[in-house]
Amino acid sequence: METSFALTGKGYVLIAADTTAARSIVKMKVDEDKIKALGPHLLMAYSGEPGDTVQFAEYVERNIRLYQIRNTYSLRPSAAASWVRRSLAESIRSRHPYSVNLLLGGYDVASHDPHLYWIDYLGTIAEVPFAAHGYGSYFALSLLDRYHKPDASLEEGVETLKRCIAEVAKRLVVSPGTYKVKVVDKDGVREIEI
Amino acid sequence: MARRYDSRTTIFSPEGRLYQIEYAMEAISHAGTVLGVLAKDGVVLAAEKKVTGKLLDLSSSKEGGYGGSGEKIFLLNSNVIGGVAGLTADANSLVNYCRSAAQKHLLTYNEDIPVELLAQRLCDLKQGYTQYGGLRPFGVSILYAGYDAHYNFQLYHSDPSGNYSGWKATCIGANSGTAQSLLKQEYKDDITVKDAVGLVLRTMSKTMDSTTLGSEKLEFAVLTLDPETGAPRAKIYRPHEIDALLLSEGLTKKDEDKDAEMKST
């Protein structure tokens, strides 16, 4: 089942999401990218109702890009997260709400620090040092609680992430096979192999 | 025939001019002077009050509010101070619009509105009034002194046409040309707030019509960063604080100096 993790470290945010696209009990695809780069220093992992996820992620992506075109600079991670939260809070009060959960990580180029936001389909937001969505979160959060260090290097962060992925693979009945991992830091957004 | 292109804002004259806009700008050049100087660690605004008199009730500016008499200098948001020149009634309406726009941004993004974005919001409104039929443009120029994390301290000016521009030091209202040339001579790029306060007050004292410089004719505000929290701190001076400042800058009432000279001779 769908799982995503994220954690902050010294000057970066790491985000991982599984790559399966499932319909009912069938795996339709195993190389789906569920992490979008919303800007030069902003990443968003999305999960939830298939269809809603892509629709909402593209809506967010286009709006954040529009802000960047209009103002030349991008929204700061906190402002982007607040805007996304508000969109979901308005959505849940509409006739057809989006059912999408998000992890939003970014590097604030104005204050030079990483930020991670846990957002769910109800419009809840929490700024956290590490976060997870989906069934994997039941296994990963305890590990992240034990091993997360706010000033860990990227290598240490990746090691912690690997622990989470291994644990989910070992214990979860319906564990996803592969993950995509992206990192955002002062140099921008990039994908890393694990 | 000359009136053919004057009566409506929407019509270009054959020379390609919009007279109503030019008249609005003319109205501003008779208004009280507003002067702003951008320093490396803050922004300073000063304004000349036109509506004065012994019988005017100033109790609200002395006691209530956040400082200022409510005529020239306003707090637009916690990170932006506005100085207005022109029709006071128009200005009040625009100040109200600014505050709404700033709060709307805060509601949507949970951050203070970037200064340039606030100027843009207001200029969109002003520009609309130069185009849509039957309406008079706002007879107001505004100086925005603000801070945001993107560009730090900033000073913007907007005029009735909806144009806006960023400045290191500028002046609007009566005698703005004189003030600007004085500022051009004296401004230095690495000026501090402390020096900027002096520069602003000296320039104001040279450009204002009245011989006296005191709290009854002057409004004054400074935007700096709080040394502890790093958050922008807007301070609009109260009348007694302005008088104290003028005293400490050695720019207190000239009449008294003259009186002193008369007595000594």
Side-chain angles (χ1 to χ4, degrees):
Chain A
M1 300 293 271
E2 277 195 316
T3 291
S4 48
F5 316 115
L7 58 116
T8 57
K10 195 174 171 58
Y12 66 87
V13 183
L14 256 177
I15 299 190
D18 73 280
T19 55
T20 43
R23 190 174 172 194
S24 181
I25 56 165
V26 184
K27 275 185 189 173
M28 307 296 286
K29 195 166 180 273
V30 287
D31 58 352
E32 175 93 336
D33 186 357
K34 300 183 205 172
I35 309 175
K36 253 193 197 310
L38 298 180
H41 296 92
L42 198 61
L43 283 173
M44 182 174 79
Y46 49 93
S47 56
E49 195 68 31
D52 277 16
T53 50
V54 177
Q55 181 76 8
F56 185 74
E58 285 182 356
Y59 169 75
V60 170
E61 184 184 31
R62 281 357 304 173
N63 273 282
I64 300 239
R65 178 73 183 119
L66 178 62
Y67 187 100
Q68 194 192 342
I69 291 168
R70 278 187 174 155
N71 299 292
T72 67
Y73 50 82
S74 295
L75 276 173
R76 301 172 76 184
S78 65
S82 300
W83 184 85
V84 171
R85 189 210 77 82
R86 179 152 289 275
S87 299
L88 283 170
E90 281 166 6
S91 167
I92 195 85
R93 288 162 182 81
S94 74
R95 199 178 280 249
H96 299 292
Y98 285 112
S99 181
V100 183
N101 298 316
L102 307 163
L103 295 174
L104 205 133
Y107 183 83
D108 192 333
V109 288
S111 58
H112 310 288
D113 51 359
H115 293 275
L116 173 62
Y117 299 89
W118 182 94
I119 301 170
D120 76 2
Y121 73 104
L122 295 166
T124 318
I125 193 168
E127 183 171 9
V128 285
F130 52 82
H133 273 304
Y135 281 119
S137 66
Y138 299 117
F139 307 94
L141 283 175
S142 54
L143 279 168
L144 286 165
D145 205 22
R146 171 68 182 77
Y147 292 106
H148 177 264
K149 278 188 294 188
D151 55 352
S153 68
L154 185 57
E155 290 71 29
E156 289 174 296
V158 170
E159 278 311 306
T160 309
L161 197 65
K162 280 182 180 168
R163 277 183 196 273
C164 295
I165 290 170
E167 188 68 12
V168 172
K170 187 177 176 187
R171 294 290 175 186
L172 183 62
V173 177
V174 281
S175 62
T178 49
Y179 290 82
K180 212 176 248 302
V181 182
K182 293 187 186 179
V183 63
V184 56
D185 59 15
K186 65 174 176 19
D187 303 320
V189 167
R190 64 185 180 280
E191 189 177 335
I192 52 175
E193 297 295 327
I194 55 159
Chain B
M1 287 294 277
R3 294 245 156 228
R4 263 170 75 178
Y5 305 99
D6 287 14
S7 54
R8 292 175 60 179
T9 58
T10 44
I11 297 195
F12 277 107
S13 76
E15 306 93 72
R17 294 160 62 178
L18 293 166
Y19 284 117
Q20 283 300 316
I21 314 246
E22 292 181 21
Y23 297 158
M25 299 211 197
E26 185 59 27
I28 289 157
S29 67
H30 297 296
T33 317
V34 184
L35 199 151
V37 170
L38 181 68
K40 64 178 181 185
D41 51 352
V43 200
V44 183
L45 273 188
E48 177 190 7
K49 278 196 282 186
K50 284 280 191 187
V51 184
T52 53
K54 272 185 181 168
L55 297 180
L56 192 67
D57 186 356
L58 292 167
S59 54
S60 65
S61 69
K62 280 179 180 150
E63 289 143 29
Y66 44 77
S69 70
E71 189 194 322
K72 306 291 289 184
I73 291 182
F74 298 88
L75 189 73
L76 301 180
N77 196 32
S78 54
N79 64 328
V80 189
I81 309 171
V84 300
L87 301 182
T88 310
D90 284 16
N92 284 334
S93 166
L94 290 180
V95 165
N96 194 23
Y97 184 87
C98 261
R99 288 172 175 167
S100 294
Q103 290 304 310
K104 186 166 179 283
H105 187 97
L106 184 64
L107 185 68
T108 319
Y109 297 104
N110 195 27
E111 69 168 11
D112 281 336
I113 190 166
V115 190
E116 188 173 358
L117 198 56
L118 185 66
Q120 281 175 355
R121 288 277 173 279
L122 204 65
C123 284
D124 286 348
L125 183 78
K126 287 195 193 185
Q127 190 278 336
Y129 277 71
T130 68
Q131 212 181 48
Y132 297 109
L135 300 171
R136 161 176 81 74
F138 284 103
V140 183
S141 269
I142 304 183
L143 292 188
Y144 310 80
Y147 174 88
D148 64 56
H150 300 288
Y151 298 121
N152 294 346
F153 291 104
Q154 293 150 78
L155 177 67
Y156 291 97
H157 162 231
S158 75
D159 71 16
S161 70
N163 271 326
Y164 75 94
S165 43
W167 294 85
K168 291 172 179 174
T170 191
C171 181
I172 52 177
N175 293 326
S176 61
T178 324
Q180 256 164 355
S181 56
L182 278 168
L183 289 170
K184 206 186 282 179
Q185 283 168 20
E186 297 212 26
Y187 186 82
K188 289 181 188 66
D189 271 327
D190 55 348
I191 194 169
T192 60
V193 162
K194 200 172 174 303
D195 295 339
V197 167
L199 174 60
V200 164
L201 289 176
R202 265 181 285 122
T203 315
M204 280 304 272
S205 76
K206 282 176 192 162
T207 48
M208 273 164 62
D209 294 332
S210 57
T211 49
T212 60
L213 198 61
S215 60
E216 69 276 7
K217 289 290 257 180
L218 196 70
E219 285 196 40
F220 193 80
V222 177
L223 185 83
T224 48
L225 285 189
D226 190 304
E228 281 172 22
T229 63
R233 186 171 61 185
K235 178 164 174 55
I236 301 176
Y237 282 58
R238 290 179 190 284
H240 68 90
E241 292 169 323
I242 292 175
D243 286 326
L245 185 71
L246 288 170
L247 200 65
S248 70
E249 291 287 328
L251 283 164
T252 197
K253 298 187 177 174
K254 287 173 190 169
D255 287 352
E256 289 168 10
D257 296 344
K258 275 180 194 160
D259 287 349
E261 280 173 25
M262 297 272 278
K263 277 170 196 162
S264 63
T265 49

